[in-house]
Coordinates of all heavy atoms in Angstrom, one line a residue:
Chain L
M103 N 91.7 113.6 113.7 CA 90.8 113.2 112.7 C 89.4 113.7 113.0 O 89.1 113.9 114.2 CB 90.7 111.6 112.6 CG 92.0 111.0 112.1 SD 91.8 109.2 111.8 CE 91.6 108.6 113.4
P104 N 88.7 114.1 112.0 CA 87.3 114.6 112.3 C 86.4 113.5 112.9 O 86.7 112.3 112.7 CB 86.8 115.0 110.9 CG 87.6 114.2 110.0 CD 88.9 114.0 110.6
E105 N 85.5 113.9 113.6 CA 84.5 113.0 114.3 C 85.0 112.2 115.4 O 84.7 112.2 116.5 CB 83.8 112.2 113.2 CG 82.9 113.0 112.3 CD 82.3 112.1 111.2 OE1 82.5 110.9 111.2 OE2 81.5 112.7 110.4
M106 N 86.0 111.3 115.0 CA 86.6 110.5 116.1 C 88.1 110.6 116.0 O 88.7 110.2 115.0 CB 86.2 109.0 115.9 CG 86.7 108.1 117.0 SD 86.4 106.3 116.7 CE 84.7 106.2 117.3
T107 N 88.7 111.1 117.1 CA 90.1 111.3 117.0 C 90.8 109.9 117.3 O 90.2 109.0 117.7 CB 90.6 112.3 118.1 OG1 90.3 111.7 119.4 CG2 89.9 113.6 118.0
G108 N 92.1 110.0 117.1 CA 92.9 108.7 117.3 C 92.8 108.4 118.8 O 92.8 107.2 119.2
Y109 N 92.7 109.4 119.6 CA 92.6 109.1 121.1 C 91.3 108.5 121.4 O 91.2 107.5 122.2 CB 92.7 110.5 121.8 CG 92.6 110.3 123.3 CD1 93.7 109.8 124.0 CD2 91.5 110.8 124.0 CE1 93.6 109.6 125.4 CE2 91.4 110.7 125.4 CZ 92.5 110.1 126.1 OH 92.4 110.0 127.4
D110 N 90.2 108.9 120.8 CA 88.9 108.3 121.0 C 88.9 106.8 120.6 O 88.4 106.0 121.2 CB 87.8 109.0 120.2 CG 87.6 110.5 120.6 OD1 87.9 110.8 121.8 OD2 87.3 111.3 119.8
L111 N 89.6 106.6 119.4 CA 89.7 105.3 118.9 C 90.4 104.4 119.8 O 90.1 103.3 120.1 CB 90.3 105.3 117.5 CG 90.6 104.0 116.8 CD1 89.2 103.3 116.6 CD2 91.3 104.2 115.5
L112 N 91.5 105.0 120.3 CA 92.4 104.2 121.3 C 91.6 103.8 122.5 O 91.6 102.7 122.9 CB 93.5 105.1 121.7 CG 94.4 104.7 122.9 CD1 95.2 103.4 122.5 CD2 95.4 105.8 123.3
K113 N 90.8 104.7 123.0 CA 90.0 104.4 124.2 C 89.0 103.3 123.9 O 88.8 102.4 124.7 CB 89.3 105.7 124.7 CG 90.2 106.6 125.5 CD 89.4 107.5 126.4 CE 88.5 108.5 125.6 NZ 87.9 109.5 126.5
K114 N 88.4 103.4 122.7 CA 87.4 102.4 122.4 C 88.1 101.0 122.3 O 87.5 100.0 122.7 CB 86.7 102.7 121.0 CG 85.7 103.8 121.1 CD 84.3 103.2 120.9 CE 83.1 104.1 120.9 NZ 83.1 105.3 121.5
I115 N 89.2 101.0 121.7 CA 89.9 99.7 121.6 C 90.3 99.2 122.9 O 90.1 98.0 123.2 CB 91.1 99.9 120.6 CG1 90.6 100.1 119.2 CG2 92.0 98.7 120.6 CD1 91.7 100.6 118.2
K116 N 90.9 100.0 123.7 CA 91.4 99.5 125.0 C 90.2 99.2 125.9 O 90.4 98.5 126.9 CB 92.3 100.6 125.7 CG 93.7 100.8 124.9 CD 94.4 99.5 124.8 CE 95.6 99.6 123.8 NZ 96.3 98.3 123.6
G117 N 89.1 99.8 125.6 CA 87.9 99.5 126.4 C 87.1 98.2 126.0 O 86.2 97.8 126.6
S118 N 87.7 97.6 125.0 CA 87.0 96.4 124.5 C 87.7 95.2 124.9 O 88.9 95.0 124.7 CB 86.9 96.5 122.9 OG 86.9 95.2 122.4
S119 N 86.9 94.3 125.4 CA 87.6 93.0 125.9 C 88.2 92.2 124.8 O 89.2 91.5 124.9 CB 86.6 92.2 126.7 OG 85.4 92.0 125.9
T120 N 87.6 92.4 123.6 CA 88.1 91.6 122.5 C 89.3 92.2 121.8 O 90.1 91.5 121.2 CB 87.0 91.4 121.4 OG1 86.3 92.6 121.2 CG2 85.9 90.4 121.9
L121 N 89.3 93.5 121.9 CA 90.4 94.2 121.1 C 91.5 94.8 121.9 O 92.5 95.2 121.4 CB 89.7 95.3 120.3 CG 88.7 94.9 119.3 CD1 88.1 96.2 118.7 CD2 89.2 94.0 118.3
R122 N 91.4 94.8 123.2 CA 92.3 95.6 124.0 C 93.8 95.1 123.9 O 94.7 95.9 124.2 CB 91.9 95.8 125.4 CG 92.1 94.6 126.3 CD 92.1 95.0 127.8 NE 90.7 95.3 128.2 CZ 90.0 94.6 128.9 NH1 90.4 93.4 129.4 NH2 88.7 95.0 129.3
E123 N 93.9 93.9 123.5 CA 95.3 93.4 123.5 C 96.1 93.8 122.2 O 97.3 93.7 122.1 CB 95.3 91.8 123.5 CG 94.9 91.3 124.9 CD 95.8 91.8 126.0 OE1 97.1 91.7 125.8 OE2 95.3 92.3 127.0
I124 N 95.3 94.3 121.3 CA 96.0 94.8 120.1 C 96.8 96.1 120.4 O 96.2 97.0 120.9 CB 95.0 95.1 119.0 CG1 94.1 93.9 118.7 CG2 95.7 95.5 117.7 CD1 93.0 94.2 117.7
P125 N 98.1 96.0 120.0 CA 98.9 97.2 120.3 C 98.4 98.4 119.4 O 98.1 98.2 118.2 CB 100.3 96.8 119.9 CG 100.2 95.5 119.2 CD 98.9 94.9 119.5
V126 N 98.4 99.6 119.9 CA 98.0 100.7 119.2 C 99.1 101.8 119.2 O 99.6 102.1 120.3 CB 96.7 101.4 119.8 CG1 96.3 102.6 119.0 CG2 95.6 100.4 119.8
V127 N 99.4 102.3 118.0 CA 100.4 103.3 117.9 C 99.7 104.6 117.4 O 98.9 104.5 116.5 CB 101.5 102.9 117.0 CG1 102.5 104.1 116.7 CG2 102.3 101.7 117.6
I128 N 100.0 105.7 118.0 CA 99.4 107.0 117.5 C 100.4 107.8 116.7 O 101.6 107.8 117.0 CB 99.0 107.8 118.8 CG1 98.2 107.0 119.8 CG2 98.2 109.1 118.3 CD1 96.8 106.8 119.5
M129 N 99.9 108.4 115.7 CA 100.7 109.3 114.9 C 100.2 110.7 115.0 O 99.0 110.9 115.0 CB 100.7 109.0 113.4 CG 101.0 107.5 113.0 SD 100.9 107.3 111.3 CE 99.1 107.0 111.1
S130 N 101.1 111.7 115.0 CA 100.6 113.1 115.0 C 101.6 114.0 114.4 O 102.8 113.8 114.6 CB 100.2 113.5 116.4 OG 99.8 114.9 116.4
S131 N 101.1 115.1 113.8 CA 102.1 116.0 113.3 C 102.5 117.0 114.4 O 103.5 117.7 114.2 CB 101.4 116.8 112.1 OG 100.2 117.3 112.5
E132 N 101.8 117.0 115.5 CA 102.2 117.9 116.5 C 102.8 117.1 117.7 O 102.3 116.2 118.2 CB 100.9 118.6 117.1 CG 99.9 118.9 116.0 CD 99.9 120.4 115.7 OE1 100.5 121.2 116.4 OE2 99.2 120.8 114.7
N133 N 104.0 117.6 118.1 CA 104.7 117.0 119.1 C 104.4 117.6 120.5 O 105.2 118.3 121.1 CB 106.2 117.2 118.8 CG 107.1 116.2 119.5 OD1 106.6 115.5 120.4 ND2 108.4 116.2 119.2
V134 N 103.2 117.3 120.9 CA 102.7 117.9 122.1 C 102.8 117.0 123.3 O 102.2 115.9 123.3 CB 101.2 118.4 122.0 CG1 100.7 118.9 123.3 CG2 101.1 119.3 120.8
V135 N 103.6 117.3 124.3 CA 103.9 116.4 125.3 C 102.6 115.9 126.1 O 102.5 114.7 126.4 CB 104.9 117.0 126.3 CG1 105.1 116.1 127.5 CG2 106.2 117.2 125.7

Side-chain angles (χ1 to χ4, degrees):
Chain L
M103 295 188 290
E105 290 175 4
M106 183 186 279
T107 67
Y109 180 71
D110 297 330
L111 177 61
L112 169 68
K113 280 202 297 190
K114 282 251 180 337
I115 290 166
K116 293 303 170 185
S118 151
S119 54
T120 48
L121 300 177
R122 77 161 71 105
E123 288 304 308
I124 305 178
V126 180
V127 172
I128 311 278
M129 306 178 279
S130 175
S131 50
E132 322 252 353
N133 199 351
V134 178
V135 174

